[in-house]
Amino acid sequence: MSRTLEPTLLSLLPTYSKDLPQPLLELASSLLTQSRHLAGTLKAEEEVARAYACAHIACERLKISLDLPPIQPRPPVPPRIYKKLYTHLDNVLPANSVGRSGRVRTASSKIREAGTFGSGGRIPSRGTPTKEQSLAKFRSSPAVKGDNTPTKSTGKPPALPAKKKAGGPVSALPAWVRPTIQFLCKELDEERIGRTVLAGMQTIAAPHGERTKDEWVNENLTALLAAVYFLVSSQLYVLEQGKELDDPQYIRMRKAILKALGAAQDNVSIVGMDEDELWIGWEDIKSKDVDSAVAKVVENGWQKEEWFAGIKHMTKTKNADIDDEDMGMEDGDERPLNEKLQVQRGDTMLQSKWDMTDRKREEYRAWKDDILRRIEEIERSRGSGMEVDAPA
């Protein structure tokens, strides 16, 4: 066993006052040995934390069976590098290295348990099976397809259920995204935009149900969430108030979002999920991170997707008459409104609210130019010494 494992385990369990359990030491050593075979090639900065990550995984896997105290990881590498390394090793190292009793199952222990060395009880004698009993296992009916055609056995074990991804259940987004959006909407009294914000995160960070390969998105998920929430709420503000978003309002909205995000980790939890696992991918952010993320979303045109186009239909009813008039002017249809609504039902593919008209394009260009202009003004004022980064 590596000499560094015992002090490493003690650093992970600083409140553990007893001698370290032998099963924990053996599992940590076993995982370290297996990692050199299953993940032999690591980057230099990751190799430094290999033993630490294996010890951490051993603690996580035995914390229930051994009733370990809270694990307090302090990895020897930056958190972003360590999270990737931990996730990689946790995925490649077999989860069945430990038996139900919490002991490492080695070949010698299995032999001892079987009583080969005389330590176990005698195996009770069994009656001699009949000919029919002996041949019964070879006469099992073959596997049958849906069309009743017999198939050959593949000899492979049944597929195991998909392994839970780091940060939550089988999902392209980290587990904290959805409950954090719900918490934001509740704290800022905007429950109606929750689905739109979630749709924006799914469209940008997990298109078509798969995690995006965009490195900026994967490394700035918290800032992206803040930007998506800000863009949705600011667009709704402009539509309902009928006026542009000025600098003081911009700063107030951004400050409120940062304050709510700052309280998320203390208020958001998922039953049955470890806190460290829940917040994988989360980073604390500041005002400048939100500004950069908003600019990134606008520059990449991610808000051109249909998740953003439907915001106008969430506005208050006070603009209903204006919207109805605009709809009539756009399509040039002189039929009564109830007749048009009967044709354009919610279960049809073609609806006017998804049609991109010249007026909508012009409104979008004006909105985009205004957002970029305000971001530029705030950045310029920050450079000249004006303090706009009020503490969240």
Side-chain angles (χ1 to χ4, degrees):
M1 181 177 65
S2 175
R3 294 181 179 180
T4 62
L5 284 179
E6 188 167 352
T8 300
L9 290 169
L10 289 172
S11 69
L12 285 162
L13 305 169
T15 61
Y16 197 74
S17 57
K18 306 175 184 177
D19 292 337
L20 291 173
Q22 192 63 27
L24 180 61
L25 293 168
E26 292 180 357
L27 178 60
S29 177
S30 174
L31 292 177
L32 180 59
T33 302
Q34 293 180 70
S35 74
R36 294 195 175 105
H37 293 284
L38 301 175
T41 304
L42 295 177
K43 296 179 181 178
E45 61 270 20
E46 295 176 335
E47 185 65 43
V48 175
R50 181 197 291 271
Y52 192 94
C54 291
H56 189 181
I57 294 171
C59 291
E60 289 291 345
R61 293 183 180 181
L62 292 181
K63 64 182 180 181
I64 296 177
S65 60
L66 297 180
D67 193 21
L68 299 177
I71 303 170
Q72 301 180 24
R74 295 181 179 84
V77 294
R80 183 171 59 85
I81 296 176
Y82 181 71
K83 288 176 182 177
K84 292 181 179 179
L85 172 64
Y86 180 93
T87 302
H88 174 60
L89 293 180
D90 191 34
N91 286 333
V92 300
L93 293 174
N96 58 349
S97 299
V98 181
R100 294 185 179 181
S101 63
R103 294 179 292 133
V104 179
R105 303 279 290 179
T106 61
S108 58
S109 66
K110 292 179 182 178
I111 295 174
R112 285 195 300 269
E113 291 173 4
T116 305
F117 297 144
S119 59
R122 297 181 60 186
I123 300 176
S125 59
R126 293 176 294 178
T128 304
T130 64
K131 179 180 179 181
E132 291 297 326
Q133 291 174 337
S134 301
L135 297 177
K137 60 182 179 180
F138 299 105
R139 293 175 178 171
S140 58
S141 57
V144 180
K145 289 185 178 179
D147 56 357
N148 296 326
T149 303
T151 60
K152 294 182 179 179
S153 174
T154 60
K156 298 180 180 180
L160 296 174
K163 181 177 177 64
K164 184 168 63 175
K165 293 184 179 180
V170 179
S171 172
L173 289 175
W176 55 264
V177 172
R178 185 185 296 268
T180 301
I181 292 174
Q182 294 173 344
F183 176 75
L184 277 175
C185 294
K186 184 177 180 180
E187 284 292 299
L188 303 178
D189 196 23
E190 283 289 1
E191 279 93 351
R192 56 179 170 159
I193 71 173
R195 291 186 179 181
T196 303
V197 176
L198 179 59
M201 289 296 294
Q202 291 173 332
T203 301
I204 299 172
H208 311 296
E210 297 181 359
R211 189 69 168 265
T212 181
K213 296 181 180 179
D214 190 305
E215 293 185 3
W216 183 92
V217 172
N218 290 326
E219 294 178 0
N220 297 273
L221 285 172
T222 312
L224 176 64
L225 173 56
V228 170
Y229 190 97
F230 172 81
L231 290 173
V232 173
S233 59
S234 63
Q235 177 71 348
L236 201 57
Y237 174 87
V238 171
L239 291 174
E240 291 187 343
Q241 300 299 324
K243 59 181 180 180
E244 297 298 327
L245 192 69
D246 56 17
D247 291 347
Q249 181 63 23
Y250 179 100
I251 295 173
R252 281 194 296 270
M253 294 177 66
R254 183 185 60 187
K255 181 179 179 181
I257 294 172
L258 285 171
K259 182 178 180 181
L261 284 175
Q265 287 187 295
D266 295 329
N267 294 274
V268 174
S269 62
I270 296 180
V271 178
M273 179 172 290
D274 184 80
E275 185 175 349
D276 293 334
E277 182 184 6
L278 170 61
W279 295 105
I280 290 178
W282 172 277
E283 290 184 351
D284 294 332
I285 59 173
K286 299 180 180 179
S287 300
K288 62 180 181 180
D289 300 316
V290 180
D291 295 339
S292 300
V294 170
K296 185 76 172 179
V297 173
V298 174
E299 289 171 2
N300 283 275
W302 287 328
Q303 78 282 19
K304 293 180 181 179
E305 304 289 339
E306 64 180 36
W307 69 269
F308 195 82
I311 296 177
K312 62 180 295 184
H313 301 282
M314 292 190 297
T315 56
K316 302 293 186 181
T317 55
K318 65 181 181 181
N319 294 328
D321 297 337
I322 298 176
D323 291 340
D324 292 341
E325 293 175 3
D326 291 344
M327 183 175 66
M329 293 173 61
E330 289 173 8
D331 56 23
D333 194 343
E334 301 297 333
R335 292 175 298 166
L337 178 61
N338 59 350
E339 183 178 344
K340 289 191 290 184
L341 291 177
Q342 186 175 3
V343 174
Q344 296 180 344
R345 299 189 310 272
D347 57 351
T348 60
M349 293 181 62
L350 302 177
Q351 300 185 44
S352 61
K353 66 180 181 180
W354 306 123
D355 295 338
M356 183 57 71
T357 63
D358 292 337
R359 185 175 68 84
K360 291 181 180 178
R361 291 190 181 94
E362 186 62 30
E363 289 177 352
Y364 164 73
R365 282 194 292 268
W367 173 84
K368 175 181 177 181
D369 293 341
D370 181 66
I371 289 292
L372 291 175
R373 178 182 62 79
R374 295 185 185 283
I375 293 175
E376 184 178 355
E377 289 177 356
I378 292 174
E379 292 290 342
R380 189 163 52 247
S381 64
R382 182 187 291 112
S384 63
M386 176 180 177
E387 183 63 32
V388 296
D389 283 338

